[in-house]
Amino acid sequence: MDSDQRVVRTADGRQLAVAEAGDRDGRPVLAHMGTPNSRRLYAPLVADAVARGIRLISYDRPGYGGSTARPGRAIADCADDVRAICADLGIDRLMTWGISGGGPHVLACAALLPDLVVAAASLASPAPYGAAGLDWFAGMGQDNADDFSLLLSDEVAARAKLEQDRETALAEQPGDLAEGLKSLLSPADAAVLTGELAEFLVSANRDGLAPGAQGWWDDAHAEVSPWGFELAQISVPVLLLHGRQDQFVPFGHGQWLAAHIPAVEARLLDDDGHLTLFEHRIGEVHSWLLDGL
């Protein structure tokens, strides 16, 4: 489905590429997409937004797509960008959700923008690296475990590999995805990685990674660095979804977050994986956000 595209300027002179779709006169919901990141909006999500009267918004995080890079950014830095987007769009009350690599960013907005964000939902989010009481790598698919281990031990080698991974992603076809993600795909996720979803993920990766790998690098680095806020700062309602079959971001991360986000409503789902939340659960998330108004 078509979306409106615009560029928002930040106070420090950067640009943020923003997409809007759904009901343009509806209630605003901002989506933080995963890693690698793109502002592209998946057509079934847009259709759900139209049906529910939602103005669905997304943006390229810095360094992706049409957004200026911000090397060394922390997770918390996204709050200033979301505030700039909302100011430009004339929004003073925002609902928001984030999935996978977007999860920490939606939690940052919940913690740091209580005057703007009225409710937030986190899906398949990683927990902070080094979190007490969590084995961060337990249950993680081999490819993700290897990539994060390399990043933590040898940044030069990790950056070189990321550049190679970007080239692979730019050349990838929808039919290649399952093989490339084999170590991360539970049967539940393999079952949905077909057709429209596979086509969307390939095109979103191409758009997000077109200018280079800097956005991807900064996302990964920020994820395993101090996030710049504490979960205890969150005072707005938060819905958390995590699938037990998730091998991208292990189920233990969801359990840990459920125990540490104040007053969270946690839905820990035995039969879901990672991609299944994106394919099947966004309508449930939109319903929860709207019910909280």
Side-chain angles (χ1 to χ4, degrees), residues 15 39 76 99 106-107 114 128 150 163 177 181 201 214 233 257 261 263 268 277 280 289:
Q15 70 175 35
R39 69 185 182 277
I99 188 164
V106 79
L107 294 174
L150 187 62
E163 297 288 348
L177 272 184
L181 295 172
L201 292 174
Q214 188 64 44
Q233 293 174 251
L257 288 169
I261 297 172
L268 301 175
L277 298 185
H280 297 314
L289 289 170

Side-chain angles (χ1 to χ4, degrees), residues 14-183:
R14 292 176 294 112
Q15 70 175 35
L16 298 169
V18 178
E20 282 190 89
D23 182 347
R24 303 309 200 276
D25 297 317
R27 287 159 289 189
V29 173
L30 188 145
H32 299 262
M33 296 299 184
T35 301
N37 174 257
S38 169
R39 69 185 182 277
R40 286 180 66 95
L41 290 163
Y42 187 35
L45 275 57
V46 175
D48 185 82
V50 170
R52 297 180 192 275
I54 286 173
R55 178 186 183 187
L56 190 60
I57 304 156
S58 184
Y59 74 106
D60 292 331
R61 284 195 289 276
Y64 290 109
S67 292
T68 310
R70 190 178 183 180
R73 58 181 164 88
I75 299 292
D77 291 331
C78 75
D80 288 339
D81 290 347
V82 168
R83 190 179 290 283
I85 290 167
C86 288
D88 189 83
L89 298 180
I91 295 167
D92 59 10
R93 281 170 55 85
L94 180 71
M95 296 171 286
T96 182
W97 59 262
I99 188 164
S100 190
H105 295 85
V106 79
L107 294 174
C109 291
L112 300 174
L113 301 174
D115 59 316
L116 175 63
V117 171
V118 297
S122 169
L123 294 76
S125 175
Y129 178 73
L134 174 67
D135 183 342
W136 203 80
F137 288 100
M140 186 177 290
Q142 196 63 50
D143 284 346
N144 277 4
D146 288 348
D147 285 349
F148 280 115
S149 294
L150 187 62
L151 174 60
L152 291 162
S153 64
D154 188 339
E155 289 198 1
V156 173
R159 184 60 188 256
K161 183 179 184 300
L162 192 71
E163 297 288 348
Q164 294 174 349
D165 290 345
R166 171 182 174 265
E167 293 297 327
T168 299
L170 292 175
E172 210 156 32
Q173 299 299 315
D176 302 332
L177 272 184
E179 181 62 28
L181 295 172
K182 185 163 57 176
S183 82

Side-chain angles (χ1 to χ4, degrees), residues 249-290:
V249 180
F251 189 59
H253 289 233
Q255 292 175 303
W256 191 94
L257 288 169
H260 289 83
I261 297 172
V264 66
E265 180 178 330
R267 299 179 185 175
L268 301 175
L269 305 161
D270 286 343
D271 298 326
D272 272 281
H274 192 81
L275 301 176
T276 63
L277 298 185
F278 190 65
E279 182 69 10
H280 297 314
R281 298 284 185 176
I282 301 300
E284 178 181 333
V285 169
H286 284 165
S287 176
W288 182 89
L289 289 170
L290 293 172

Side-chain angles (χ1 to χ4, degrees), residues 215-263:
W216 197 358
W217 175 255
D218 288 330
D219 259 8
H221 207 275
E223 201 167 296
V224 296
S225 301
W227 285 4
F229 69 98
E230 299 296 332
L231 294 174
Q233 293 174 251
I234 296 175
S235 59
V236 303
V238 174
L239 173 68
L240 181 144
L241 276 68
H242 213 113
R244 189 177 295 274
Q245 310 304 319
D246 193 337
Q247 294 171 195
F248 290 78
V249 180
F251 189 59
H253 289 233
Q255 292 175 303
W256 191 94
L257 288 169
H260 289 83
I261 297 172

